[in-house]
Amino acid sequence: GYRFGLTALKVNEKIADKKNRCRVEFAFPMFIQHWKKHAKYDLDYFRNAYKSGIENGDLIFSGHNVNLIGMTRIMLGDNIDDILEEYGKYKDFQLGGKDPFISRNYMENMRMCLCLKGLTESRGSLNGDGFNEEEQTEYYQSENNMLGALYSSLIRLRINYLFGELSKCRSLVSLMQKIVNKKTALGNLHIPEFYLFHSLTLTASCSDAGFFKKILYKSRLYLNQFKMWMWAKSCPENFQHKYDLVAAEIMSIKRNFQKTINLYHKAIEGAWQNGYRHIEAMASERLSLFYLDYSCKDEASFFMQRAHRCYLSWGASDKAKELEEKYPALIPREQRQQATGTITMSGSTGSITVSGLSESMTISGTTETTGGTKMLDLFTAMKVSQIISSEIMLDRLLQMIMHESITNA
């Protein structure tokens, strides 16, 4: 399929078929490429397809490509502020078109980003500024738009899982499984994303489930994991860390301490190496809570701090704030204070204003260094010392020291 897709692109280019260029460039990343290559490479095709559609009057497919840029970047764990900056440029085009699915899909993607930043009606809710989750769901049901229902439900599934609303997650996965079983969105990157959060919902629900429910959950987990294992064999960059995260959760249920630790570390490393910072954050948070369950408070603190930093790096400031509120003993006051700084960007002037604890600086086209560098170096040194004290595996110790040094370089 991948080779045929590449051939179609080359043939289309060779015969200069501009009329269908938008749709060919849309189909290849939408259904094929991410099964063989990192999903970040889908983005260039979607951006080019949007331009081709505009040039040739295919405005509907241009709109779909814009939404796929936003959805793919969310699934990649790209910085939310960067997503909002790029995605927001298309607001008038997306909301002014004739296809209500495009405008609704655009709004729900924007609402997810804003929700993670704490800019919606309430924590974990997409509502506000004229958007209503229930009305959105009812619309897709009335139109029998299963693809729209799947996209919308996946957004709410991820948000509810991140903020611990497991009962809502269970209701959503039941509905979504029926849609997926009908081959809706076949080949889309959304399918493995669904199975990841489906599995994470099941592992998180096992402790409170009855005997027969646990059997049902475990059988479903193994089916989901078999799918993820097959996808990971084809493209480990996109799927191996997801497989490892769920495998760690399963080992945690089995109370296998060493295997659980190893798999969480593997998931964290895989997510970090491939740029999935939200998965790195989730895996770090889960590992912290696993350590806490075994009264390993130093280790729990280290990985909760890492999760906190990853969520902030992702741009999910409200999720980071939730960690601060739930686990204040695990996140030092200094790190919580660093998270209170604000960043203001101005696209028209190219300037960035950063306001922190005791200083404010504006950067316009150039990079300036202030006294904050000394604080940063000290912070890096402190983090490295924590790593040395908590990590006993030499190869992993070196990797983690290098990671912290590069991150704060």
Side-chain angles (χ1 to χ4, degrees), residues 332-350:
R333 184 177 62 182
E334 294 80 8
Q335 184 166 328
R336 295 200 301 270
Q337 287 175 334
Q338 287 177 350
T340 61
T342 60
I343 301 176
T344 306
M345 295 182 289
S346 175
S348 59
T349 62

Side-chain angles (χ1 to χ4, degrees), residues 90-103:
Y90 300 101
K91 181 178 179 180
D92 292 339
F93 178 75
Q94 294 297 90
L95 300 184
K98 296 181 179 179
D99 189 340
F101 174 40
I102 290 175
S103 59

Side-chain angles (χ1 to χ4, degrees), residues 6 15 246 260 328:
L6 286 175
I15 65 175
V246 176
T260 301

Side-chain angles (χ1 to χ4, degrees), residues 42 157 192 213 243 261 274 326 380 394 400:
D42 288 354
L157 175 61
K213 278 274 188 181
Y243 175 86
I261 296 300
N274 291 290
K326 290 175 71 174
T380 304
L394 181 59
M400 293 180 73

Side-chain angles (χ1 to χ4, degrees), residues 74 77-78 80 83-84 109-120 122-126 155 158-163 278 311-312 314-322:
I74 289 171
D78 285 356
I80 292 170
I83 296 172
L84 288 170
N109 293 326
M110 290 289 286
R111 299 306 298 175
M112 178 180 179
C113 293
L114 294 172
C115 175
L116 290 169
K117 297 191 72 63
L119 300 175
T120 53
S122 60
R123 177 171 290 169
S125 169
L126 304 179
I155 287 172
R158 287 177 288 196
I159 290 293
N160 287 325
Y161 176 79
L162 284 168
F163 289 108
H278 61 314
Y311 282 125
L312 287 175
W314 182 27
S317 50
D318 202 39
K319 174 61 184 176
K321 185 178 180 182
E322 186 205 37

